[in-house]
Amino acid sequence: MQSGRKRFLLLYALITGLAITCCSQATPGPTNGTGWTLVWSDEFNGPNGSPMDRSKWVPETGGDGWGNHELEYYTDRIENASFHDGNLVVKAISEKYTGPDGVTRNYTSARLKTLGKFSQTYGRFEARIKIPYRQGMWPAFWMLGDDIEKVGWPACGEIDIMENIGKEPAIVHGSIHGPGYIGDTGIEAPYKLPAKSFADDFHIFAVEWDADSVSFYVDQNLYVRRTRADLQPGWKWVFDKPFFLILNLAVGGDWPGNPDSSTVFPQSMLVDYVLVYQRSATPTKIDVEKR
């Protein structure tokens, strides 16, 4: 009996230790070293069917095309944005919908921002996301300067941490935009997944941003770093002020094109968490070179 009990306790300790190890490995955080302090987060752990935390997010609504001839109407409904199994589910639905402004669209979705709730200058901004895959889908995790209502776009600046168009299931794009470098002249770089598609699993999309550069990551992979040297004469570096976060799932538009007969609805973007860090100490030139 005593010997059997010891074996049981040893086995229990081994299993418990493995569980603790697995949990610690799964804890979200920077994948490329220490020196960061978590300053803002949302891990979307509310009960299934509950809405976003309005102390952190503001829903944007409307169906005016959002400057890209998009087809969706962004609503403030749990049908388009709610929690499920520890994720924020941003859902695009094929349905005829008329908003309070009288605009009617054939699709609905959600667009959430932190403007007025949270913004930050410099740091690491990351999210763990599983994106959808079909023609005409356009999921994005991005940032805008929080002076947008004063100076407009593109003077406010834009950092696209992750964009994907559904016809490119294995490719995401990271880019920066500002005065002079918008649309086709935006400073953009693709990252191609070595195998499968981004819709097959969750991936971490992040930028590390400091006074002179914006570095783009997928999982542990740094795939491009943008600096002031990338700007052409006459262009202005506008990444020296607070930016706020945006999550959205667009339908159609100039870049992805419209859905077709292969596009099955609803389509969902699942967000496991969004985390924002700041450097524990002001990075030196040596720190930047190491990164």
Side-chain angles (χ1 to χ4, degrees):
M1 290 289 293
Q2 191 72 3
S3 177
R5 184 171 182 274
K6 286 182 179 178
R7 285 197 298 270
F8 169 78
L9 291 174
L10 181 61
L11 180 61
Y12 176 80
L14 179 61
I15 293 172
T16 303
L18 287 172
I20 292 172
T21 301
C22 291
C23 291
S24 64
Q25 289 174 344
T27 300
T31 58
N32 61 336
T34 58
W36 298 99
T37 300
L38 182 66
V39 295
W40 187 93
S41 66
D42 197 342
E43 299 190 32
F44 310 114
N45 289 326
N48 285 355
S50 58
M52 77 202 82
D53 184 345
R54 290 180 183 271
S55 70
K56 296 180 178 181
W57 299 95
V58 177
E60 290 196 273
T61 61
D64 62 0
W66 299 90
N68 304 295
H69 300 106
E70 298 168 28
L71 303 179
E72 79 288 329
Y73 196 106
Y74 287 128
T75 80
D76 181 11
R77 308 182 303 166
I78 59 173
E79 290 88 346
N80 296 114
S82 63
F83 295 164
H84 185 76
D85 292 345
N87 299 310
L88 170 68
V89 181
V90 180
K91 185 178 293 186
I93 303 171
S94 176
E95 59 177 338
K96 190 172 183 177
Y97 180 88
T98 301
D101 55 3
V103 174
T104 299
R105 291 290 188 178
N106 292 321
Y107 303 95
T108 61
S109 188
R111 172 171 164 144
L112 314 177
K113 64 182 180 180
T114 64
L115 180 62
K117 306 292 184 179
F118 174 80
S119 61
Q120 179 172 293
T121 308
Y122 311 143
R124 178 180 170 92
F125 302 76
E126 73 171 63
R128 185 171 183 264
I129 302 174
K130 184 178 181 181
I131 64 173
Y133 158 55
R134 287 294 175 181
Q135 167 62 33
M137 305 313 300
W138 189 1
F141 170 47
W142 51 301
M143 302 193 294
L144 289 171
D146 70 358
D147 59 350
I148 185 171
E149 295 178 354
K150 179 180 179 181
V151 303
W153 184 90
C156 65
E158 176 177 333
I159 301 173
D160 297 319
I161 304 171
M162 180 281 296
E163 290 185 283
N164 167 265
I165 54 176
K167 62 187 176 184
E168 299 177 346
I171 300 175
V172 294
H173 302 261
S175 58
I176 58 174
H177 301 278
Y181 44 110
I182 61 175
D184 293 340
T185 59
I187 304 175
E188 178 271 335
Y191 175 86
K192 186 173 183 179
L193 202 62
K196 300 184 178 180
S197 76
F198 281 100
D200 293 330
D201 204 349
F202 285 89
H203 292 272
I204 296 173
F205 305 101
V207 294
E208 292 181 9
W209 164 34
D210 59 37
D212 296 305
S213 67
V214 183
S215 301
F216 292 81
Y217 292 84
V218 173
D219 298 322
Q220 298 183 15
N221 304 301
L222 168 63
Y223 68 96
V224 69
R225 175 177 289 120
R226 295 305 185 191
T227 70
R228 296 172 187 266
D230 291 303
L231 272 59
Q232 296 182 16
W235 293 2
K236 183 181 179 182
W237 182 265
V238 289
F239 308 102
D240 50 7
K241 57 190 174 185
F243 275 56
F244 64 93
L245 297 160
I246 304 172
L247 289 165
N248 72 287
L249 176 55
V251 180
D254 298 330
W255 188 20
N258 295 343
D260 60 20
S261 58
S262 71
T263 311
V264 179
F265 286 91
Q267 290 283 332
S268 296
M269 178 173 74
L270 277 58
V271 187
D272 182 18
Y273 61 75
V274 179
L275 306 175
V276 180
Y277 296 84
Q278 63 183 11
R279 280 284 176 187
S280 300
T282 303
T284 64
K285 181 178 180 181
I286 294 176
D287 291 329
V288 173
E289 290 174 350
K290 285 182 178 179
R291 296 205 303 279

